[in-house]
Amino acid sequence: MTKLTLGAHPFLLGFEQLERLVERTAKSGNEGYPPYNIEQTSETSYRITLAVAGFAEADLSITVEDNQLVIRGRQADDSAGRMFLHRGIAARQFQRSFVLADGVDVGEAIMENGLLHVDLKRAVPESVVQTIKIKRNDT
């Protein structure tokens, strides 16, 4: 029995990358840290909010790599000479990845009260109607 993949379906011409995109998303390795929200702020815009308490702007980096939004956090180790009786505030590095659809652009990033907000905007494609002329083949 032959396995029919999503990208190989005869009605999905040109969607071969969709299966690779789904696999890449599943392999992104995102843990539960830091927690985040994704909200739709309008019909064409979104906001990703990450809880990054304890991180300064200089500890964070935001990049777009191959249609993938990557947010990284790395804090300097400032525990030298300090003795913690309890250490419950996470001070570990992280990487969060979000796969972006074609036409989604990253806008601004804002730090506010320990939350990092990253705004996304989806471009609305123009509706294009193309008429194909049918030639007659008289052979």
Side-chain angles (χ1 to χ4, degrees):
M1 185 170 163
T2 304
K3 178 183 174 188
L4 183 64
T5 61
L6 181 65
H9 193 279
F11 296 131
L12 298 175
L13 300 175
F15 285 89
E16 294 83 14
Q17 293 183 350
L18 184 60
E19 188 167 3
R20 287 192 297 269
L21 176 68
V22 171
E23 287 176 7
R24 189 171 80 182
T25 303
K27 292 179 185 177
S28 65
N30 284 336
E31 301 174 3
Y33 178 78
Y36 66 94
N37 292 337
I38 300 175
E39 61 183 299
Q40 186 169 0
T41 54
S42 76
E43 282 195 32
T44 59
S45 60
Y46 309 91
R47 174 173 268 189
I48 298 172
T49 301
L50 280 82
V52 292
F55 286 85
E57 289 90 347
D59 298 331
L60 301 168
S61 71
I62 303 170
T63 58
V64 177
E65 306 166 8
D66 298 325
N67 281 0
Q68 193 165 336
L69 173 66
V70 180
I71 303 171
R72 293 180 179 94
R74 177 177 296 205
Q75 290 178 313
D77 186 14
D78 64 348
S79 63
R82 297 167 71 184
M83 184 175 75
F84 291 94
L85 299 178
H86 172 76
R87 188 162 188 177
I89 299 173
R92 61 182 185 224
Q93 64 184 9
F94 70 87
Q95 176 175 314
R96 276 271 181 210
S97 300
F98 303 91
V99 177
L100 303 176
D102 289 336
V104 174
D105 296 318
V106 179
E108 64 181 353
I110 303 165
M111 271 291 262
E112 175 185 44
N113 300 325
L115 299 174
L116 174 65
H117 304 289
V118 180
D119 292 325
L120 308 172
K121 182 103 174 135
R122 180 173 42 91
V124 179
E126 293 181 23
S127 178
V128 177
V129 176
Q130 182 179 5
T131 303
I132 309 301
K133 186 175 179 177
I134 302 172
K135 294 183 182 180
R136 183 179 183 117
N137 191 3
D138 294 327
T139 52

